[in-house]
Amino acid sequence: MQRNPISATVDFDADGVQHGFLKLPHSHDASAWGSLMIPVTVARNGDGPTALFTGGNHGDEYEGPVALFDLAATVRAEDLSGRVIIVPAMNLPAFQAGKRTSPVDGGNMNRVFPGNPVGTVTEKIADYFQRTLLPLADYVVDIHSGGKTLDFVPFCAAHVLADKAQQQRCVEAMAAFNAPYSIMLLEVDATGMYDTAAEEMGKVFISTELGGGGTARASTVAIAKRGVRNLLRHAGILEGAPEIGETVNLDMPDGRCFISSEHAGLLEPCVDLGAEVSEGDLVCKIHDPARTGVAPVIYKSPIDGVLTARHFPGLIGMGDIVAVVAVRV
Ligand code: CA
């Protein structure tokens, strides 16, 4: 396998706090011999576990970057036993553009793993995580939100894994993160995801969806900040026990949880996030925006559960996710 072109300006094995960059050569019209400079912080104090935190895997999701730039600015090596690696803007070009995907190559970071050292910019970043950063980590936390097109109840997620001991460690980390909702997340398509890459390496992996709509809220930022410190306490990297409050445990038993749109039009939400719905309850209507006098199409919940996600923009297209209904455990 070819060498990855990224070089780190920090030494991952050194004690203390270092702020630097993952430097990826990127030659383009505005910078012939330039580099993409992806911010990174590594904080280490002696031997102990390593936690790897990422935000900005999708560039229009903000709780991760806010909480992780904050963590990077405030972490003190003397408080740690082990190591913390912080990459607040994993897909830097997408983050700078406020877009889900990279404006450089169209790459969706969470669909290109394991990446490619001689591929696109996005694939090169993925390959660096796959072969350099993930192998350093014991705990991997990837902080997502819904971006411009989805909104979520704030949850931390683990996945159903073939290795039940590993799954249990992930569930314990999810419980320690202690978002208001904790969910066994069913993915639409797990191929190419960072999640899958980390889990296949046997890591303790958790992700989140902490809100959405292409912005952050005070309440969801607070959940992210508390969650990362809780995870560090759970891992034994920070002293003390996680601060644990109430969480609602949710499960997604099968594909019925996803309600997909088979119409394009004007979205009329009929229940809000967090609402309890029963099978057959009205979830939304989609109006024909081209003419008056047409009855809207009705979408109902296929199962009993909690409205966990919804389409965010006021207009909806064919094939968009209308809503996700997850089941209370
Ligand atoms: Ca996302």
Side-chain angles (χ1 to χ4, degrees), residues 151-154 181 211 217 271-275 306-310 324:
D151 198 9
F152 288 89
V153 297
Y181 294 81
R217 303 169 176 93
V271 286
D272 285 325
L273 286 177
V306 174
L307 196 79
T308 299
R310 54 154 288 188
V324 174

Side-chain angles (χ1 to χ4, degrees), residues 58 61 100 144-145 209:
H58 293 130
E61 305 174 2
R100 179 174 181 81
H144 286 252
S145 304
E209 299 288 356

Side-chain angles (χ1 to χ4, degrees), residues 54 56-58 61 90-91 100-101 107-113 122 126 142 144 159 187 189-197 205 207 209:
T54 45
N57 176 325
H58 293 130
E61 305 174 2
M90 184 184 191
N91 194 343
R100 179 174 181 81
T101 58
N108 180 337
M109 183 63 73
N110 223 22
R111 299 293 183 275
V112 302
F113 273 82
T122 309
D142 190 31
H144 286 252
H159 295 112
E187 298 291 349
D189 178 5
T191 309
M193 292 182 71
Y194 180 53
D195 312 50
T196 309
F205 177 87
S207 67
E209 299 288 356

Side-chain angles (χ1 to χ4, degrees), residues 174-227:
M174 169 177 73
F177 190 97
N178 192 234
Y181 294 81
S182 301
I183 188 167
M184 294 307 291
L185 186 63
L186 184 66
E187 298 291 349
V188 175
D189 178 5
T191 309
M193 292 182 71
Y194 180 53
D195 312 50
T196 309
E199 288 160 353
E200 284 180 350
M201 264 182 237
K203 306 302 179 184
V204 177
F205 177 87
I206 54 173
S207 67
T208 70
E209 299 288 356
L210 295 179
T215 188
R217 303 169 176 93
S219 58
T220 53
V221 164
I223 293 162
K225 286 186 178 182
R226 201 175 66 105

